[in-house]
């Protein structure tokens, strides 16, 4: 594969990764409560989801989302419902903290396991038609039809590496400011903001049109 194509693809993938989206807000919600390892579990979920979308694109299955309006509608509504559900959970958690003003402990912070953190990262990206659309739009531009699947997975790997580096930095920064992020007021504020943002992303996804 041409080096210029790879570098251009990385540039496009970087813009996608660093733009505000559900992934960044999920990391911001996870790390202050559940710690650095849970944040990296989120990231691992992101990466696995990229390979799922990449594989579906290579096999041509993702084209159903473009060609079938019914399939696209069902898929996007599942993703929207999941994002809204995460948002509502965060807002309920913020409201409960605000009402009771609890002492911040391991128990009432509802620390998620690494497995749950991984699944949250995975599902957030698997049920996101925009990720699939990115692969459908990027592959034809950066990978000639004569290329083997190995070249396609090279692009997925490049995207995954950019994603890992960016969010790993975010995880490390958040884990270094524990005095701020461990306060009850901060967690209430963070859960409120992230909850509203996830609901907004869910509604935006629900209203997104096919093509």
């Amino acid at each position: 594969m041409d080096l210029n194509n790879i570098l251009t693809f990385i540039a496009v993938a970087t813009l996608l990764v660093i733009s505000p989206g559900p992934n960044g807000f999920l990391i911001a919600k996870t790390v202050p409560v559940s710690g650095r390892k849970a944040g990296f579990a989120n990231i691992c979920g992101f990466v696995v989801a990229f390979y799922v979308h990449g594989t579906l694109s290579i096999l041509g299955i993702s084209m159903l989302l473009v060609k079938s309006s019914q399939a696209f509608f069902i898929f996007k509504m599942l993703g929207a419902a999941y994002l809204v559900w995460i948002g509502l959970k965060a807002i309920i958690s913020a409201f409960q903290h605000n009402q009771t003003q609890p002492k911040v402990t391991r128990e009432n912070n509802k620390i998620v396991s690494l497995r749950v953190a991984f699944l949250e990262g995975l599902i957030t990206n698997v049920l996101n038609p925009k990720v699939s659309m990115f692969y459908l739009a990027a592959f034809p531009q950066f990978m000639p039809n004569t290329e083997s699947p190995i070249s396609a997975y090279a692009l997925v790997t490049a995207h995954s590496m950019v994603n890992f580096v960016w969010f790993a930095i975010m995880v490390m920064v958040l884990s270094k400011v524990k005095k701020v992020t461990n306060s009850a007021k901060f967690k209430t504020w963070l859960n409120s903001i992230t909850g509203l943002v996830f609901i907004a992303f869910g509604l935006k996804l629900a209203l997104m049109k096919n093509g």
Side-chain angles (χ1 to χ4, degrees), residues 18-177:
I18 67 177
S19 62
N23 289 350
F25 286 98
L26 182 60
I27 292 290
K29 181 178 74 74
T30 299
V31 176
V33 173
S34 302
R36 183 186 305 176
K37 291 183 178 180
F40 279 107
N42 279 161
I43 298 174
C44 290
F46 301 163
V47 170
V48 172
F50 295 160
Y51 280 96
V52 170
H53 281 290
T55 299
L56 293 177
S57 295
I58 293 169
L59 296 176
I61 297 176
S62 290
M63 289 302 296
L64 290 173
L65 297 178
V66 177
K67 295 182 177 180
S68 172
S69 58
Q70 184 177 5
F72 179 85
F73 177 79
I74 293 173
F75 192 72
K76 78 169 184 176
M77 293 307 294
L78 286 173
Y82 179 73
L83 291 177
V84 171
W85 177 66
I86 292 180
L88 289 175
K89 284 206 310 179
I91 290 177
I92 291 172
S93 177
F95 179 77
Q96 290 174 340
H97 286 170
N98 188 50
Q99 288 290 99
T100 60
Q101 292 295 326
K103 180 180 178 181
V104 179
T105 65
R106 183 179 180 86
E107 287 74 21
N108 63 28
N109 267 332
K110 298 181 180 179
I111 295 175
V112 300
S113 66
L114 297 182
R115 177 175 174 273
V116 171
F118 170 82
L119 289 175
E120 285 185 339
L122 175 66
I123 297 174
T124 297
N125 284 268
V126 166
L127 293 179
N128 188 350
K130 289 187 177 181
V131 178
S132 180
M133 296 303 158
F134 167 72
Y135 281 107
L136 288 172
F139 278 19
Q141 296 182 46
F142 298 103
M143 188 190 71
N145 294 329
T146 56
E147 293 285 350
S148 68
I150 295 177
S151 297
Y153 282 115
L155 295 179
V156 179
T157 300
H159 181 201
S160 299
M161 291 176 64
V162 171
N163 179 87
F164 185 87
V165 171
W166 175 258
F167 288 113
I169 293 173
M170 187 175 179
V171 168
M172 297 304 291
V173 170
L174 288 172
S175 66
K176 292 294 184 182
V177 290

